[in-house]
Amino acid sequence: MINSIPFNKPHITGKETDYIAEVIRSGKISGDGPYTKKCNLFFEKKYEIKKTLLTPSCTAALEMAAILLNIKEGDEVIVPAYTFVSTVNAFVLRGAKIIFADSNLLNPNIDTDSIESLITAKTKAIVPVHYAGIACDMDKLMVLAVKHNIDIVEDAAQSIESYYKNRALGSIGQLGAFSFHDTKNIISGEGGLLSINDNRFIDRAEIVREKGTNRTSFSRGEVDKYEWIDIGSSFLPSEVTAAFLYAQLENLDMIQLKRKKLWDAYHANLESLHKNGMLERPYIPDFATNNGYMYYILLKSPKERTKLIHHLRNKNISSVFHFLSLHKSPYFKDKYQGAELKNSDRYTDCLLRLPMYYDLGVNEIEFICNEINIFFSTGT
Ligand SMILES: *Cc1c(COP(=O)(O)O)cnc(C)c1O
């Protein structure tokens, strides 16, 4: 008997409360304690990232990136229109002019071939988003970056444990940002991490996240007092968050194994509908891996998508669409001067995400896919 199936359910691995209790007992609850260091080290070692800094969210990590790149009024930043607002807001907050790029025809990632025509003398950064944890074409982006002296900030919010040609996502661009929001694979309620792969940002990043002071240097005994030396903000999560996160990271392999198994179950069960041209399944290029973050399908029209959402809801299955093209958002539409972004609009209108979380069962996926089959066989 299948009860109702939500879209997401946060998975608790078991040690979270023990580690949090330990933090509370220790009397050191603010940021940058032992658990924060353990989490940073985990990412630096496992993903070969030069320096990582835990942040209160991926949004905060992106805001730090914009500060570190010295983005100012009039600088141009190229971002995909099909993304979460934070990818863009971080740069808008610093006065950047946003240049929206379209998605690929075959998946929602930024169309790297369309980028060069968007680059001007004012372009300071490109922010690729690895949608569903599937890598953007990083070699092409890094070549453009070198050629035009532009920095790359990877929005790796969805991309833990995913790779581009054997290199971890978030370890390739000058900077990268991860999310541990409780909809992601590894969670801490709210949480994020800034990855730094270019030495020139490391020292300043430690200052920016400590409200513009050299407190980190001070706590290492490198200076005898800490002072205000740059702009900054509060970009440290508390040890409570870090302790939660560390418990999750210890279970990364198990979580990933399960999520990929669930993803494969969807992929196999929807194969015939794809082959019959009823829907499209995710496309993963040869250079990319899959981290089981999301299973989505593409329908033929928004109308068909709405009908399927209703059909599934009647069976107590929750399915949701995703981003809305940001160049058409209420905040931006009057400012947008670029071309039509057909692929981004298509994902806005036709992409549907199916339930995906650690505690989901393969039997539940079979039930969901069976309902999708019934939807298409009974006429949409
Ligand atoms: C989740 C997400 C974010 C925001 O992450 P927070 O940790 O909630 O700030 C940013 N970009 C993308 C692509 C996301 O999926």
Side-chain angles (χ1 to χ4, degrees), residues 181-287:
H181 183 266
D182 73 7
T183 51
K184 308 299 204 260
N185 288 22
I186 292 292
I187 63 174
S188 60
E190 303 278 352
L193 176 137
L194 176 72
S195 59
I196 306 172
N197 304 302
D198 185 331
N199 289 332
R200 83 192 134 111
F201 298 116
I202 293 177
D203 292 344
R204 189 162 176 241
E206 288 189 335
I207 293 163
V208 166
R209 74 166 183 154
E210 270 287 13
K211 303 94 189 166
T213 74
N214 55 352
R215 186 180 191 158
T216 309
S217 241
F218 173 71
S219 63
R220 283 196 294 253
E222 293 160 7
V223 290
D224 57 12
K225 56 183 182 305
Y226 80 86
E227 300 176 283
W228 184 20
I229 52 178
D230 200 336
I231 62 165
S233 189
S234 179
F235 288 120
L236 278 85
S238 92
E239 274 291 283
V240 173
T241 299
F244 193 116
L245 181 63
Y246 192 69
Q248 294 259 319
L249 289 173
E250 285 184 323
N251 288 285
L252 176 68
D253 292 345
M254 194 176 72
I255 290 171
Q256 288 304 110
L257 210 64
K258 176 75 188 285
R259 292 189 78 114
K260 282 194 266 190
K261 184 174 143 199
L262 298 174
W263 197 100
D264 289 343
Y266 271 124
H267 212 56
N269 278 287
L270 295 172
E271 184 178 358
S272 56
L273 283 178
H274 189 176
K275 295 231 157 105
N276 295 334
M278 301 305 228
L279 51 75
E280 286 175 45
R281 295 174 301 164
Y283 167 73
I284 303 179
D286 288 340
F287 56 65

Side-chain angles (χ1 to χ4, degrees), residues 55-62 82-88 128-132 155-159 177-184 189-193 293-294 322-323 353:
T55 56
S57 63
C58 177
T59 301
L62 289 162
Y82 192 74
T83 186
F84 190 60
V85 284
S86 297
T87 319
V88 186
V129 179
H130 305 297
Y131 187 79
D155 182 336
Q158 308 176 358
S159 312
F178 290 85
S179 174
F180 312 117
H181 183 266
D182 73 7
T183 51
K184 308 299 204 260
E190 303 278 352
L193 176 137
Y293 169 61
M294 183 198 301
H322 208 189
F323 302 136
R353 296 184 293 160

Side-chain angles (χ1 to χ4, degrees), residues 16-30:
E16 287 86 348
T17 43
D18 294 347
Y19 292 173
I20 288 170
E22 186 192 321
V23 166
I24 294 168
R25 278 196 305 270
S26 80
K28 161 88 174 104
I29 307 173
S30 60

Side-chain angles (χ1 to χ4, degrees), residues 148-159:
H148 298 277
N149 194 22
I150 294 169
D151 289 314
I152 304 290
V153 180
E154 296 178 70
D155 182 336
Q158 308 176 358
S159 312

